[in-house]
């Protein structure tokens, strides 16, 4: 009987993974909208001076800035674990404002399904 004890202790985990039994989700938090920003003319990444927000009705979320090891802008992200249909608005030093409507983020049982957007900003003349 003793060799069965370790196997019986795993039974709740096996049962939780099949059928309509309790579902196990990870504890990570996912951003629903992830944005890379490029110059529309050169297609080079814009490395600094970009700010932005996500809008859905009365909901407003400032975009989080992610940088590389040297401190250059890598990407912007928002809508942490929040499905919805968003308007993205970006501003950057030396560029015209940029926006995109109807960026739809969906969710599964545990998390949002991230959406990637590439923003091509036009240099101001």
């Amino acid at each position: 009987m003793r060799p069965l004890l370790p196997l019986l202790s795993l039974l709740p985990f096996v049962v939780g993974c099949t059928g309509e039994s309790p579902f196990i989700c990870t504890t990570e938090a996912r951003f629903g909208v992830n944005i890379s920003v490029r110059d529309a003319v050169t297609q080079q990444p814009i490395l600094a001076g970009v700010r932005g927000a996500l809008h859905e009705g009365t909901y407003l979320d400032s975009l989080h800035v992610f940088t590389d090891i040297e401190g250059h802008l890598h990407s912007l992200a928002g809508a942490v674990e929040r499905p919805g249909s968003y308007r993205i608005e970006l501003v950057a030093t030396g560029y015209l404002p940029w926006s995109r409507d109807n960026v739809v983020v969906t969710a599964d049982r545990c998390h949002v399904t991230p959406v990637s957007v590439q923003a091509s900003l036009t240099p101001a003349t």
Side-chain angles (χ1 to χ4, degrees), residues 69-116:
I69 196 164
E70 295 171 349
H72 297 132
L73 176 70
H74 178 264
S75 64
L76 301 163
V80 177
E81 293 296 353
R82 188 177 188 280
S85 180
Y86 297 97
R87 174 179 175 81
I88 303 170
E89 293 180 345
L90 300 177
V91 293
T93 306
Y95 292 87
L96 299 176
W98 181 94
S99 66
R100 177 169 296 163
D101 290 318
N102 302 317
V103 177
V104 177
V105 177
T106 60
D108 59 22
R109 280 180 104 168
C110 295
H111 299 286
V112 294
T113 303
V115 173
S116 295

